Amino acid sequence: MNDAKEILKKSKLRPTIQRVAIVDYIIGKHKVHITAAKLIKYLKNKKINISLATIYNNLNELADKGILKKFYVNNDKMWFDTNLQDHYHFYDSEKDELIDINKNEISFSKSPKIPNGKIKESINIIINLKNKN
Amino acid sequence: MNDAKEILKKSKLRPTIQRVAIVDYIIGKHKVHITAAKLIKYLKNKKINISLATIYNNLNELADKGILKKFYVNNDKMWFDTNLQDHYHFYDSEKDELIDINKNEISFSKSPKIPNGKIKESINIIINLKNKN
DNA sequence: TAGATTATTAGAATCATTCTAAACTAAAAA
DNA sequence: TTTTTAGTTTAGAATGATTCTAATAATCTA
Ligand SMILES: [Mn+2]
Ligand SMILES: [Mn+2]
Ligand SMILES: [Zn+2]
Ligand SMILES: [Zn+2]
């Protein structure tokens, strides 16, 4: 039984062809930042039969199970991340790519006061990049 | 001539009823964080005749002219901000509201290294809030 | 006031994502 | 094994935010 199947089994998700392909992709790299559109393109290329609805279903499911992190960058594209640590991102709009910024690469000497009655739920930091002329 | 008309004149935008109403609204408050949906609701309430297309046209135009700043929060809603300073935000998802974090309320003692060949274009920081317990 | 220019609008189009409901498949039970 | 069940995939419709189109209307300038 391959790693992908193991992971799916642990999460009580049936190892369908589609799921195994998705998880294979995700575990094949150290770090993955992926969108539904990029992933379906990759899988179709590999001759895997899969629909966009299934891509979304599964990426969301994997996020629910804590195997991926889900977030948005700038406007309406949903990203999934295999890096489960709390971390931040550079966004390279030329390539439509994210680059991790680990938490230890940033530190705050001063943090804003949280409004009364509220607590921090999460922090999103995106540093948008452009080409050096 | 009222302030709104002045502002529009300076930007070479004709002071139509719709534009004056929009600009009146944004100069009527110290700080405004507004979305197209919130603004049209407000204006309709004031019995101003305006379409959603016009709201978008004008907010985008005002952003082009540097009178508003445009940005996105988390997923697909476009926000416009009268605070033109470089600054960050708390996002209160309960109320669907933004709260400014001025630049002097945050400072970094360590910043991540920008990838080669790239330069920083902008930084987005959003601190998502939730209710205390 | 005419003619030129700019603005507004309804509704269609677009795009990412979710939903629906039918067809299918893997796993469990018999 | 076969049957049953529960979970999965899928095409295509629906949704929601935003933009586009192209017709109509308002403003400006001479
Ligand atoms: Mn959307
Ligand atoms: Mn959108
Ligand atoms: Zn990441
Ligand atoms: Zn602001």
PDB file of all heavy atoms in Angstrom, chain A residues 31-33 69 71 80-85 87-89 98-102, ligand 3:
ATOM      1  N   LYS A  31       7.093  21.148  -0.624  1.00  0.00           N
ATOM      2  CA  LYS A  31       6.097  22.177  -0.343  1.00  0.00           C
ATOM      3  C   LYS A  31       5.246  22.355  -1.571  1.00  0.00           C
ATOM      4  O   LYS A  31       5.752  22.422  -2.673  1.00  0.00           O
ATOM      5  CB  LYS A  31       6.771  23.522  -0.053  1.00  0.00           C
ATOM      6  CG  LYS A  31       7.499  23.569   1.263  1.00  0.00           C
ATOM      7  CD  LYS A  31       8.261  24.865   1.362  1.00  0.00           C
ATOM      8  CE  LYS A  31       9.315  24.777   2.453  1.00  0.00           C
ATOM      9  NZ  LYS A  31      10.334  25.827   2.298  1.00  0.00           N
ATOM     10  N   VAL A  32       3.962  22.398  -1.387  1.00  0.00           N
ATOM     11  CA  VAL A  32       3.079  22.652  -2.513  1.00  0.00           C
ATOM     12  C   VAL A  32       2.109  23.769  -2.175  1.00  0.00           C
ATOM     13  O   VAL A  32       1.494  23.774  -1.116  1.00  0.00           O
ATOM     14  CB  VAL A  32       2.234  21.427  -2.889  1.00  0.00           C
ATOM     15  CG1 VAL A  32       1.512  21.681  -4.198  1.00  0.00           C
ATOM     16  CG2 VAL A  32       3.079  20.186  -3.002  1.00  0.00           C
ATOM     17  N   HIS A  33       2.005  24.687  -3.085  1.00  0.00           N
ATOM     18  CA  HIS A  33       0.950  25.692  -3.047  1.00  0.00           C
ATOM     19  C   HIS A  33       0.172  25.460  -4.320  1.00  0.00           C
ATOM     20  O   HIS A  33       0.717  25.628  -5.405  1.00  0.00           O
ATOM     21  CB  HIS A  33       1.534  27.106  -3.058  1.00  0.00           C
ATOM     22  CG  HIS A  33       2.348  27.407  -1.854  1.00  0.00           C
ATOM     23  ND1 HIS A  33       3.696  27.606  -1.910  1.00  0.00           N
ATOM     24  CD2 HIS A  33       1.982  27.536  -0.562  1.00  0.00           C
ATOM     25  CE1 HIS A  33       4.135  27.843  -0.680  1.00  0.00           C
ATOM     26  NE2 HIS A  33       3.117  27.809   0.153  1.00  0.00           N
ATOM     27  N   LYS A  69      -3.718  23.201   4.245  1.00  0.00           N
ATOM     28  CA  LYS A  69      -4.263  24.464   4.746  1.00  0.00           C
ATOM     29  C   LYS A  69      -4.890  25.204   3.585  1.00  0.00           C
ATOM     30  O   LYS A  69      -4.346  25.189   2.488  1.00  0.00           O
ATOM     31  CB  LYS A  69      -3.155  25.344   5.329  1.00  0.00           C
ATOM     32  CG  LYS A  69      -2.892  25.092   6.782  1.00  0.00           C
ATOM     33  CD  LYS A  69      -1.744  25.942   7.271  1.00  0.00           C
ATOM     34  CE  LYS A  69      -2.169  27.372   7.572  1.00  0.00           C
ATOM     35  NZ  LYS A  69      -1.069  28.107   8.268  1.00  0.00           N
ATOM     36  N   PHE A  71      -6.438  28.855   2.077  1.00  0.00           N
ATOM     37  CA  PHE A  71      -6.496  30.306   2.277  1.00  0.00           C
ATOM     38  C   PHE A  71      -6.618  31.005   0.937  1.00  0.00           C
ATOM     39  O   PHE A  71      -6.553  30.377  -0.111  1.00  0.00           O
ATOM     40  CB  PHE A  71      -5.260  30.799   3.037  1.00  0.00           C
ATOM     41  CG  PHE A  71      -3.972  30.472   2.350  1.00  0.00           C
ATOM     42  CD1 PHE A  71      -3.372  31.408   1.511  1.00  0.00           C
ATOM     43  CD2 PHE A  71      -3.376  29.239   2.510  1.00  0.00           C
ATOM     44  CE1 PHE A  71      -2.201  31.098   0.851  1.00  0.00           C
ATOM     45  CE2 PHE A  71      -2.199  28.927   1.846  1.00  0.00           C
ATOM     46  CZ  PHE A  71      -1.619  29.857   1.021  1.00  0.00           C
ATOM     47  N   PHE A  80      -4.310  26.009  -1.664  1.00  0.00           N
ATOM     48  CA  PHE A  80      -4.111  24.951  -0.691  1.00  0.00           C
ATOM     49  C   PHE A  80      -2.621  24.769  -0.518  1.00  0.00           C
ATOM     50  O   PHE A  80      -1.852  24.865  -1.476  1.00  0.00           O
ATOM     51  CB  PHE A  80      -4.778  23.660  -1.160  1.00  0.00           C
ATOM     52  CG  PHE A  80      -6.274  23.770  -1.190  1.00  0.00           C
ATOM     53  CD1 PHE A  80      -6.930  24.255  -2.303  1.00  0.00           C
ATOM     54  CD2 PHE A  80      -7.026  23.408  -0.076  1.00  0.00           C
ATOM     55  CE1 PHE A  80      -8.316  24.381  -2.330  1.00  0.00           C
ATOM     56  CE2 PHE A  80      -8.413  23.522  -0.090  1.00  0.00           C
ATOM     57  CZ  PHE A  80      -9.057  24.012  -1.215  1.00  0.00           C
ATOM     58  N   ASP A  81      -2.233  24.490   0.725  1.00  0.00           N
ATOM     59  CA  ASP A  81      -0.824  24.536   1.098  1.00  0.00           C
ATOM     60  C   ASP A  81      -0.482  23.292   1.897  1.00  0.00           C
ATOM     61  O   ASP A  81      -1.206  22.938   2.828  1.00  0.00           O
ATOM     62  CB  ASP A  81      -0.637  25.794   1.957  1.00  0.00           C
ATOM     63  CG  ASP A  81       0.810  26.172   2.168  1.00  0.00           C
ATOM     64  OD1 ASP A  81       1.675  25.285   2.047  1.00  0.00           O
ATOM     65  OD2 ASP A  81       1.066  27.345   2.471  1.00  0.00           O
ATOM     66  N   THR A  82       0.594  22.631   1.518  1.00  0.00           N
ATOM     67  CA  THR A  82       1.018  21.479   2.317  1.00  0.00           C
ATOM     68  C   THR A  82       1.825  21.876   3.537  1.00  0.00           C
ATOM     69  O   THR A  82       2.111  21.039   4.385  1.00  0.00           O
ATOM     70  CB  THR A  82       1.903  20.509   1.503  1.00  0.00           C
ATOM     71  OG1 THR A  82       2.965  21.259   0.912  1.00  0.00           O
ATOM     72  CG2 THR A  82       1.091  19.812   0.428  1.00  0.00           C
ATOM     73  N   ASN A  83       2.237  23.113   3.584  1.00  0.00           N
ATOM     74  CA  ASN A  83       2.978  23.572   4.758  1.00  0.00           C
ATOM     75  C   ASN A  83       1.979  23.927   5.854  1.00  0.00           C
ATOM     76  O   ASN A  83       1.282  24.932   5.775  1.00  0.00           O
ATOM     77  CB  ASN A  83       3.826  24.785   4.378  1.00  0.00           C
ATOM     78  CG  ASN A  83       4.680  25.272   5.529  1.00  0.00           C
ATOM     79  OD1 ASN A  83       4.484  24.878   6.687  1.00  0.00           O
ATOM     80  ND2 ASN A  83       5.636  26.132   5.229  1.00  0.00           N
ATOM     81  N   LEU A  84       1.915  23.062   6.863  1.00  0.00           N
ATOM     82  CA  LEU A  84       0.886  23.218   7.887  1.00  0.00           C
ATOM     83  C   LEU A  84       1.291  24.160   9.009  1.00  0.00           C
ATOM     84  O   LEU A  84       0.478  24.523   9.855  1.00  0.00           O
ATOM     85  CB  LEU A  84       0.503  21.854   8.467  1.00  0.00           C
ATOM     86  CG  LEU A  84       0.007  20.832   7.429  1.00  0.00           C
ATOM     87  CD1 LEU A  84      -0.245  19.487   8.089  1.00  0.00           C
ATOM     88  CD2 LEU A  84      -1.253  21.333   6.730  1.00  0.00           C
ATOM     89  N   GLN A  85       2.577  24.501   9.028  1.00  0.00           N
ATOM     90  CA  GLN A  85       3.041  25.471  10.025  1.00  0.00           C
ATOM     91  C   GLN A  85       2.305  26.784   9.831  1.00  0.00           C
ATOM     92  O   GLN A  85       1.879  27.103   8.732  1.00  0.00           O
ATOM     93  CB  GLN A  85       4.536  25.781   9.819  1.00  0.00           C
ATOM     94  CG  GLN A  85       5.445  24.611   9.764  1.00  0.00           C
ATOM     95  CD  GLN A  85       5.700  24.013  11.136  1.00  0.00           C
ATOM     96  OE1 GLN A  85       5.747  22.816  11.265  1.00  0.00           O
ATOM     97  NE2 GLN A  85       5.850  24.855  12.168  1.00  0.00           N
ATOM     98  N   HIS A  87       2.528  30.218   8.890  1.00  0.00           N
ATOM     99  CA  HIS A  87       3.547  30.940   8.126  1.00  0.00           C
ATOM    100  C   HIS A  87       2.914  31.932   7.165  1.00  0.00           C
ATOM    101  O   HIS A  87       1.691  32.011   7.068  1.00  0.00           O
ATOM    102  CB  HIS A  87       4.465  29.952   7.388  1.00  0.00           C
ATOM    103  CG  HIS A  87       3.797  29.220   6.279  1.00  0.00           C
ATOM    104  ND1 HIS A  87       2.888  28.208   6.482  1.00  0.00           N
ATOM    105  CD2 HIS A  87       3.885  29.364   4.928  1.00  0.00           C
ATOM    106  CE1 HIS A  87       2.460  27.756   5.323  1.00  0.00           C
ATOM    107  NE2 HIS A  87       3.042  28.451   4.353  1.00  0.00           N
ATOM    108  N   TYR A  88       3.768  32.671   6.480  1.00  0.00           N
ATOM    109  CA  TYR A  88       3.282  33.754   5.612  1.00  0.00           C
ATOM    110  C   TYR A  88       3.794  33.546   4.195  1.00  0.00           C
ATOM    111  O   TYR A  88       4.524  32.600   3.932  1.00  0.00           O
ATOM    112  CB  TYR A  88       3.736  35.098   6.183  1.00  0.00           C
ATOM    113  CG  TYR A  88       3.441  35.218   7.662  1.00  0.00           C
ATOM    114  CD1 TYR A  88       4.471  35.349   8.603  1.00  0.00           C
ATOM    115  CD2 TYR A  88       2.123  35.160   8.126  1.00  0.00           C
ATOM    116  CE1 TYR A  88       4.190  35.417   9.966  1.00  0.00           C
ATOM    117  CE2 TYR A  88       1.836  35.227   9.487  1.00  0.00           C
ATOM    118  CZ  TYR A  88       2.875  35.357  10.403  1.00  0.00           C
ATOM    119  OH  TYR A  88       2.592  35.424  11.727  1.00  0.00           O
ATOM    120  N   HIS A  89       3.425  34.458   3.302  1.00  0.00           N
ATOM    121  CA  HIS A  89       3.799  34.242   1.897  1.00  0.00           C
ATOM    122  C   HIS A  89       4.248  35.478   1.142  1.00  0.00           C
ATOM    123  O   HIS A  89       3.725  36.564   1.359  1.00  0.00           O
ATOM    124  CB  HIS A  89       2.616  33.632   1.131  1.00  0.00           C
ATOM    125  CG  HIS A  89       2.252  32.270   1.596  1.00  0.00           C
ATOM    126  ND1 HIS A  89       1.202  32.029   2.432  1.00  0.00           N
ATOM    127  CD2 HIS A  89       2.840  31.060   1.354  1.00  0.00           C
ATOM    128  CE1 HIS A  89       1.142  30.728   2.704  1.00  0.00           C
ATOM    129  NE2 HIS A  89       2.118  30.117   2.064  1.00  0.00           N
ATOM    130  N   LEU A  98       3.303  31.223  -5.027  1.00  0.00           N
ATOM    131  CA  LEU A  98       3.552  31.614  -3.641  1.00  0.00           C
ATOM    132  C   LEU A  98       4.887  31.082  -3.162  1.00  0.00           C
ATOM    133  O   LEU A  98       5.313  30.003  -3.578  1.00  0.00           O
ATOM    134  CB  LEU A  98       2.454  31.049  -2.734  1.00  0.00           C
ATOM    135  CG  LEU A  98       1.052  31.598  -2.981  1.00  0.00           C
ATOM    136  CD1 LEU A  98       0.041  30.799  -2.179  1.00  0.00           C
ATOM    137  CD2 LEU A  98       0.991  33.071  -2.612  1.00  0.00           C
ATOM    138  N   ILE A  99       5.516  31.843  -2.300  1.00  0.00           N
ATOM    139  CA  ILE A  99       6.772  31.409  -1.682  1.00  0.00           C
ATOM    140  C   ILE A  99       6.606  31.572  -0.179  1.00  0.00           C
ATOM    141  O   ILE A  99       6.157  32.614   0.290  1.00  0.00           O
ATOM    142  CB  ILE A  99       7.951  32.286  -2.164  1.00  0.00           C
ATOM    143  CG1 ILE A  99       8.087  32.201  -3.691  1.00  0.00           C
ATOM    144  CG2 ILE A  99       9.254  31.892  -1.466  1.00  0.00           C
ATOM    145  CD1 ILE A  99       8.906  33.337  -4.294  1.00  0.00           C
ATOM    146  N   ASP A 100       6.964  30.520   0.552  1.00  0.00           N
ATOM    147  CA  ASP A 100       6.785  30.566   1.998  1.00  0.00           C
ATOM    148  C   ASP A 100       7.688  31.571   2.688  1.00  0.00           C
ATOM    149  O   ASP A 100       8.833  31.754   2.297  1.00  0.00           O
ATOM    150  CB  ASP A 100       7.082  29.185   2.592  1.00  0.00           C
ATOM    151  CG  ASP A 100       5.909  28.237   2.441  1.00  0.00           C
ATOM    152  OD1 ASP A 100       4.807  28.707   2.087  1.00  0.00           O
ATOM    153  OD2 ASP A 100       6.098  27.035   2.680  1.00  0.00           O
ATOM    154  N   ILE A 101       7.140  32.158   3.717  1.00  0.00           N
ATOM    155  CA  ILE A 101       7.939  32.938   4.663  1.00  0.00           C
ATOM    156  C   ILE A 101       7.714  32.267   6.012  1.00  0.00           C
ATOM    157  O   ILE A 101       6.597  32.326   6.552  1.00  0.00           O
ATOM    158  CB  ILE A 101       7.456  34.399   4.746  1.00  0.00           C
ATOM    159  CG1 ILE A 101       7.537  35.076   3.373  1.00  0.00           C
ATOM    160  CG2 ILE A 101       8.257  35.161   5.790  1.00  0.00           C
ATOM    161  CD1 ILE A 101       6.910  36.468   3.343  1.00  0.00           C
ATOM    162  N   ASN A 102       8.730  31.584   6.501  1.00  0.00           N
ATOM    163  CA  ASN A 102       8.532  30.904   7.771  1.00  0.00           C
ATOM    164  C   ASN A 102       8.387  31.910   8.897  1.00  0.00           C
ATOM    165  O   ASN A 102       8.847  33.045   8.782  1.00  0.00           O
ATOM    166  CB  ASN A 102       9.684  29.944   8.047  1.00  0.00           C
ATOM    167  CG  ASN A 102       9.639  28.785   7.064  1.00  0.00           C
ATOM    168  OD1 ASN A 102       8.563  28.285   6.733  1.00  0.00           O
ATOM    169  ND2 ASN A 102      10.802  28.379   6.585  1.00  0.00           N
TER     170      ASN A 102
HETATM  171 ZN    ZN E   3       2.900  28.220   2.275  1.00  0.00          ZN
END
